[in-house]
Amino acid sequence: MKYTVTKNNKMIAIIMMAVGVLAIAYGFMTNPNRQWANLLVDNFYFMAIALCGTFFVAVQYMAQAGWSAVVKRVPEAMGQFLPVSAVVMFIIFIFHGHDLYHWTHKELFDPASPEYDKIIAGKAGYLNTPFFLIRMVLCFGLWILFTRMFRKESIAEDLDSSFKHFDKSITLAAAFLVIFAVSSSTSAWDFLMSIDTHWFSTMFGWYTFAGLFVSGMSVTILLILYLKNKGYMQEVNENHLHDVGKFLFGFSIFWTYLWFCQFMLIWYANLPEEVYYFQERWEHGYKTLFILNFFINFIMPFLVLMARDTKRNKKFLFVGAAIVFCGHWLDVFLMVMPGTVKAEWGIGIIEIGTFLGFLGLFIWIVFHSLAKANVVPKHHPMLNESLRHHI
Amino acid sequence: MQMHETHNTIAVPPDGARLRTPLIKGVKTYTQLSDDICRPVEGKANKWWWAAFTLSVIAMTWGFLCIAYEVGTGIGVWGLNKTVGWAWDITNFVWWIGIGHAGTLISAILLLFRQRWRMSINRSAEAMTIFAVVCAGLFPVFHMGRVWLAYWVLPLGNQFGSLWVNFNSPLLWDVFAISTYFSVSLVFWYMGLLPDLATIRDRAGLAGRKTMQYVYSWLSFGWKGSARDWSRFEEVSLVLAGLSTPLVLSVHTIVSMDFATSLVPGWHTTIFPPYFVAGAIFSGFAMVLTLMLVARKVLNLEDYITVEHVEAMNKIITLTGSIVGVAYLTEFFIAWYSGVEYEAYAFLNRATGPYWWAYWSMMTCNVITPQLFWFRKIRRSLVLTFIISIFVNIGMWFERFVIIVTSLHRDYLPSSWVMYSPTFVEVGMFIGTMGLFFTLFLLFCRVFPVIALAELKSVIKQIDERPENERPH
């Protein structure tokens, strides 16, 4: 059965996008810097969610997971958002990279200039515009290429029942995961860590990955629940929900673990060149958000999803996933804003509107891509196992 | 045979049957399963066992003599000096703790991920966890010098002679983390043994071996196999699995914080906690493979620990080895990127300084060798797996040596830069713990069933490929 994009879906997506466009226009008129920083926040967030879709599909093949065959079209569709993220990311970097990324200022690297910064100049081998653009092209190019190849094999499998698509997907998964292992870290350094140009943390790439995985799982869950509610994906029962719920629960704890380790080690050692990152997030009113981040992304999902029954209950699972979906936006917000707009931040029309705009676009693309193929794949070798999944 | 032919004539069915290989080889009845797995406990040891046991006991004795010498003379008999205050002792401590991690991962995390192949190896891997923690614990305890005051690490009142412990110190967190880890692992492991010990007791009764029956009856805590026994057993198992899951992460996280909370270049890095955990699992699986590849042969368990099991473990080794590899590269990159000259020098010194050989041994063994498992032929070859597993064991030992010694031996004050080399006492103690570990493991193989018998019996119906009416009842 294929998904049919309803009038309502389109209407809601268009309204959200319209709100987004208005908010972005308003933002550019009132506070362009804050608006650009917001675009980075939302674009990175939805890029991470889309990338998690492809990552999730790859992991399922690599681990030869059986249970997930019935839900795999959802993360597959999420990955289709990546080209949009690529375009927006290029626009952001080309038109406003100069203000978001301090290291793009040439005078920092010039010993004769009064602005010369010895530490940033030392990073010139990595932080320079051509290499940054090359990395961007490589990352997005490879991510999009693999997303499409997975999708192609998956759709081809619906039409013919041979094993070859499955086998090829496993090979693709192995290659993708190797690329992902490197690019997930480098992209986190590039898009987020280099904002605070002086600062560094070896864990940063993995920390961002943990956030990527949790937020991606939350969106996967929300989409599955929506489709089920509309009468699609009836094959997905509470056992599958239990499993995606466990991923959400487990990895929100994993995210917290990395959050705690990164924060605690830097706080404990108290080296000025490291600790200022958290200092920035303690001032200008960020403190409330900083503490809220921990509560909303750890305590809340922990309490909501702790029990077995809540992971198997659609309403509870929805609440858990919705909290995490909002919570991790806040996490990205906290990684971007203190280094870009500093005290000028706010969460108002600009932020909410831009977020809704991206969400509308995401809904539009994901739903249209869901409509292009069966919601539950056919002929997947693990489908029988997945349909009989019981835990 | 008939089945196979019909199976081949139809087009490949669109289900995962091809991918879900049987968990054990051959067609086994419950009795056969009990016979095969209880045989090493009930029979007499062969000469290979005795040879290995003798060698292990000699090594262990030598280690204890070295410890006695160290305690009697003082900590000065080790090669430590003012600059290098931690070296072989802490290297060995971390190495042993890491080795234990495979057992906990198998019994907790792989349980959550529903990896049923773990049933053939969980018992022995959990046993290794316990023995490895025993070996690990010896090093910090004897590093104290005056071991008779070891109880000072506990938060006891000042009237016991100690000062109140420093809760800010990660070394104290270690005390709690490792003792919790040891207790939970021990209880979990022993709990799982109860039904199997009862099986041995009952079989001894049938064979008329009164002493054995008496001893195992005592060991099995009077297990009756009633519905109530099983119900409680399963409840407790679930609780302990729940407790073990955070322990997989927490123990090595806290061990890593012994280093990462400090200001020593090469030690203070935020990636340490998850990277230490991955490294621990990596080394743990290598040790499980080293031992089980031998044990399956000696104890005739080839049908239960099959090539599929080896391949699955090799995949975990490739995954965790790659995580460790990415962490090495990240550390190296950030050391340069940070612009902190001390940090950059620490890494340069590792790769090109006087201990370059240790660094490159680590890189070769930990980063390059596990990548060979990308080839299906290699990860399914028992001989190559055995060799690579030993490489990984060596590499992970060097990793800790590199982290500890190369970061310390050239500190902030060049006038105090020194080299470190171990004395025979340190080497002897390490050999001693090897002896202790193998002695305990060899005894375990003779006293307890090395495979979780009751657990494996629960899947026997699912692994039988024959149609329902042809299966034994």
Side-chain angles (χ1 to χ4, degrees):
Chain A
M1 187 161 61
K2 286 189 183 182
Y3 179 74
T4 324
V5 185
T6 59
K7 263 193 179 156
N8 245 344
N9 288 155
K10 286 185 191 168
M11 272 291 279
I12 289 173
I14 289 173
I15 292 173
M16 280 178 162
M17 285 190 270
V19 169
V21 170
L22 289 175
I24 291 170
Y26 172 74
F28 278 136
M29 286 186 292
T30 51
N31 191 338
N33 196 31
R34 180 169 149 191
Q35 182 55 56
W36 280 108
N38 252 298
L39 283 178
L40 179 62
V41 170
D42 290 308
N43 194 48
F44 185 88
Y45 188 48
F46 282 94
M47 178 202 91
I49 289 168
L51 187 56
C52 174
T54 309
F55 172 72
F56 186 77
V57 171
V59 169
Q60 301 311 304
Y61 279 111
M62 201 60 187
Q64 300 194 344
W67 68 277
S68 56
V70 51
V71 300
K72 76 184 271 270
R73 282 284 146 85
V74 173
E76 248 175 57
M78 282 157 57
Q80 307 306 315
F81 187 75
L82 279 172
V84 177
S85 323
V87 172
V88 179
M89 203 59 102
F90 276 103
I91 293 176
I92 293 172
F93 185 70
I94 289 163
F95 289 98
H96 205 69
H98 206 52
D99 289 302
L100 294 176
Y101 298 105
H102 181 56
W103 56 265
T104 50
H105 293 244
K106 287 215 168 50
E107 59 276 16
L108 297 170
F109 300 87
D110 176 13
S113 156
E115 300 289 313
Y116 177 70
D117 186 319
K118 197 176 155 227
I119 291 172
I120 296 179
K123 303 180 194 217
Y126 187 78
L127 292 181
N128 60 71
T129 306
F131 191 29
F132 187 87
L133 285 172
I134 291 171
R135 289 197 301 272
M136 239 169 129
V137 171
L138 271 178
C139 281
F140 278 115
L142 288 168
W143 294 343
I144 293 168
L145 181 74
F146 275 90
T147 307
R148 297 211 154 191
M149 287 198 286
F150 277 123
R151 179 74 167 170
K152 206 181 114 208
E153 293 304 323
S154 175
I155 289 176
E157 194 178 56
D158 274 7
L159 305 173
D160 99 67
S161 65
S162 93
F163 250 108
K164 78 175 183 226
H165 305 294
F166 184 74
D167 287 339
K168 194 168 172 207
S169 300
I170 293 179
T171 316
L172 285 177
F176 176 77
L177 289 176
V178 171
I179 292 165
F180 183 83
V182 179
S183 61
S184 63
S185 279
T186 56
S187 62
W189 299 336
D190 286 354
F191 299 138
L192 300 177
M193 197 169 86
S194 79
I195 292 174
D196 300 272
T197 313
H198 282 250
W199 188 71
F200 55 90
S201 165
T202 38
M203 197 204 265
F204 195 80
W206 293 2
Y207 171 75
T208 312
F209 158 74
L212 170 152
F213 193 72
V214 186
S215 42
M217 281 320 291
S218 74
V219 173
T220 310
I221 290 172
L222 293 173
L223 286 169
I224 293 172
L225 291 175
Y226 178 81
L227 291 170
K228 265 187 82 65
N229 222 16
K230 292 285 160 196
Y232 298 92
M233 282 198 148
Q234 290 313 307
E235 296 86 346
V236 176
N237 57 37
E238 65 221 11
N239 296 297
H240 301 97
L241 294 182
H242 191 179
D243 272 352
V244 282
K246 278 197 267 191
F247 265 119
L248 186 66
F249 176 72
F251 277 82
S252 64
I253 297 173
F254 181 70
W255 172 87
T256 314
Y257 163 65
L258 295 187
W259 182 93
F260 174 76
C261 289
Q262 179 168 269
F263 175 73
M264 195 280 278
L265 290 177
I266 289 175
W267 167 80
Y268 197 111
N270 205 15
L271 288 169
E273 64 264 32
E274 291 181 22
V275 86
Y276 87 93
Y277 181 83
F278 290 110
Q279 189 84 39
E280 276 181 351
R281 276 144 190 82
W282 210 246
E283 290 164 351
H284 307 307
Y286 286 113
K287 192 174 169 181
T288 320
L289 295 188
F290 186 79
I291 294 163
L292 188 67
N293 187 21
F294 182 78
F295 270 86
I296 202 167
N297 287 321
F298 172 55
I299 311 275
M300 299 287 277
F302 187 77
L303 294 179
V304 173
L305 297 173
M306 180 81 176
R308 181 178 191 267
D309 289 346
T310 55
K311 290 191 275 284
R312 299 170 76 88
N313 177 304
K314 285 192 256 177
K315 283 182 189 142
F316 275 103
L317 194 57
F318 172 81
V319 172
I323 290 171
V324 170
F325 177 58
C326 300
H328 277 273
W329 177 85
L330 183 65
D331 187 37
V332 178
F333 186 85
L334 274 171
M335 289 196 271
V336 172
M337 291 302 179
T340 50
V341 300
K342 300 190 170 66
E344 281 176 43
W345 72 281
I347 295 183
I349 299 171
I350 302 180
E351 282 73 18
I352 295 167
T354 314
F355 176 76
L356 286 177
F358 271 90
L359 185 60
L361 191 57
F362 184 80
I363 288 174
W364 181 274
I365 286 174
V366 172
F367 279 28
H368 276 87
S369 131
L370 274 171
K372 282 184 195 145
N374 295 305
V375 178
V376 172
K378 286 179 184 171
H379 309 308
H380 189 287
M382 297 294 194
L383 195 60
N384 273 339
E385 189 178 324
S386 186
L387 293 174
R388 283 161 188 71
H389 184 46
H390 177 80
I391 41 173
Chain B
M1 217 39 220
Q2 192 68 37
M3 271 297 290
H4 270 272
E5 275 157 20
T6 37
H7 204 78
N8 284 340
T9 49
I10 47 168
V12 185
D15 61 41
R18 188 195 69 162
L19 302 157
R20 297 285 183 239
T21 44
L23 293 170
I24 61 177
K25 277 207 303 214
V27 179
K28 307 279 180 194
T29 61
Y30 290 139
T31 324
Q32 259 177 302
L33 217 64
S34 303
D35 284 346
D36 286 350
I37 291 165
C38 297
R39 194 182 306 119
V41 182
E42 291 164 345
K44 282 207 154 52
N46 61 18
K47 58 176 189 247
W48 287 110
W49 187 89
W50 279 111
F53 187 71
T54 314
L55 214 66
S56 306
V57 171
I58 292 172
M60 181 175 76
T61 314
W62 175 241
F64 282 132
L65 287 174
C66 286
I67 289 176
Y69 175 62
E70 185 253 311
V71 173
T73 320
I75 201 81
V77 297
W78 286 1
L80 301 175
N81 49 52
K82 252 170 90 181
T83 313
V84 184
W86 281 359
W88 266 56
D89 46 354
I90 306 300
T91 301
N92 294 331
F93 160 70
V94 181
W95 188 72
W96 277 119
I97 290 283
I99 282 181
H101 272 60
T104 329
L105 182 97
I106 291 167
S107 46
I109 307 265
L110 292 190
L111 177 83
L112 292 179
F113 281 100
R114 295 193 295 267
Q115 300 296 307
R116 287 188 306 170
W117 56 270
R118 70 186 186 87
M119 285 176 196
S120 294
I121 47 157
N122 66 345
R123 169 71 46 75
S124 46
E126 283 171 35
M128 284 181 219
T129 301
I130 292 155
F131 306 150
V133 177
V134 169
C135 293
L138 290 175
F139 290 97
V141 168
F142 285 98
H143 191 192
M144 291 173 189
R146 293 182 287 166
V147 275
W148 48 93
L149 298 177
Y151 68 90
W152 281 14
V153 300
L154 301 171
L156 300 168
N158 288 1
Q159 65 271 33
F160 288 94
S162 67
L163 288 175
W164 188 241
V165 287
N166 180 7
F167 280 95
N168 293 338
S169 165
L171 300 183
L172 182 70
W173 309 342
D174 255 350
V175 174
F176 299 128
I178 289 164
S179 51
T180 311
Y181 182 52
F182 182 73
S183 334
V184 173
S185 303
L186 186 68
V187 173
F188 200 7
W189 175 71
Y190 199 80
M191 247 260 319
L193 270 167
L194 291 178
D196 293 1
L197 294 172
T199 305
I200 296 179
R201 171 200 66 195
D202 296 345
R203 286 167 62 92
L206 290 172
R209 298 169 74 171
K210 281 272 178 286
T211 324
M212 192 171 176
Q213 188 189 9
Y214 178 77
V215 171
Y216 279 89
S217 154
W218 187 78
L219 286 174
S220 63
F221 294 172
W223 175 271
K224 287 199 291 288
S226 65
R228 189 156 43 162
D229 280 3
W230 279 110
S231 146
R232 285 181 179 161
F233 176 82
E234 304 222 324
E235 269 173 51
V236 177
S237 299
L238 195 67
V239 171
L240 288 173
L243 280 175
S244 300
T245 307
L247 284 177
V248 180
L249 291 166
S250 69
V251 177
H252 234 60
T253 294
I254 288 174
V255 169
S256 82
M257 286 172 182
D258 293 346
F259 307 102
T261 50
S262 72
L263 293 176
V264 177
W267 283 12
H268 174 66
T269 165
T270 49
I271 209 170
F272 257 25
Y275 139 60
F276 263 51
V277 173
I281 294 165
F282 179 54
S283 67
F285 270 91
M287 188 56 107
V288 170
L289 278 170
T290 312
L291 254 65
M292 292 322 283
L293 284 173
V294 178
R296 72 191 275 280
K297 197 94 192 155
V298 175
L299 304 173
N300 293 318
L301 295 172
E302 282 105 329
D303 285 350
Y304 302 95
I305 300 164
T306 65
V307 178
E308 311 297 332
H309 291 94
V310 174
E311 189 181 8
M313 286 192 265
N314 282 340
K315 284 179 181 171
I316 295 186
I317 289 199
T318 316
L319 172 69
T320 47
S322 305
I323 294 177
V324 167
V326 168
Y328 289 163
L329 298 179
T330 304
E331 276 192 311
F332 222 105
F333 170 75
I334 298 286
W336 167 80
Y337 177 90
S338 68
V340 179
E341 52 189 322
Y342 306 106
E343 201 68 43
Y345 180 74
F347 281 88
L348 192 73
N349 183 43
R350 277 184 192 179
T352 59
Y355 286 110
W356 64 269
W357 46 272
Y359 180 80
W360 291 106
S361 307
M362 160 190 113
M363 280 306 233
T364 319
C365 294
N366 289 349
V367 182
I368 298 166
T369 44
Q371 300 306 324
L372 293 172
F373 285 141
W374 283 99
F375 300 101
R376 190 162 189 271
K377 274 224 170 96
I378 296 181
R379 67 173 184 259
R380 291 177 74 87
S381 152
L382 301 178
V383 177
L384 290 175
T385 299
F386 185 73
I387 295 169
I388 293 176
S389 76
I390 289 177
F391 266 90
V392 173
N393 285 323
I394 296 171
M396 285 307 290
W397 189 89
F398 271 115
E399 180 196 291
R400 280 65 177 250
F401 181 80
V402 166
I403 291 174
I404 295 170
V405 175
T406 65
S407 299
L408 288 177
H409 86 120
R410 290 187 168 173
D411 60 6
Y412 288 107
L413 197 64
S415 62
S416 59
W417 286 9
V418 287
M419 291 294 286
Y420 159 82
S421 53
T423 63
F424 80 95
V425 186
E426 282 155 299
V427 179
M429 233 183 118
F430 180 51
I431 293 171
T433 51
M434 291 273 213
L436 175 63
F437 182 77
F438 287 113
T439 305
L440 290 170
F441 190 77
L442 286 163
L443 286 173
F444 157 74
C445 289
R446 298 279 307 133
V447 177
F448 295 139
V450 288
I451 287 175
L453 188 52
E455 221 180 331
L456 205 59
K457 278 179 180 169
S458 71
V459 292
I460 199 164
K461 281 269 187 274
Q462 287 152 19
I463 53 186
D464 195 339
E465 286 169 315
R466 288 174 298 175
E468 194 79 46
N469 54 358
E470 284 176 30
R471 287 181 193 166
H473 294 287

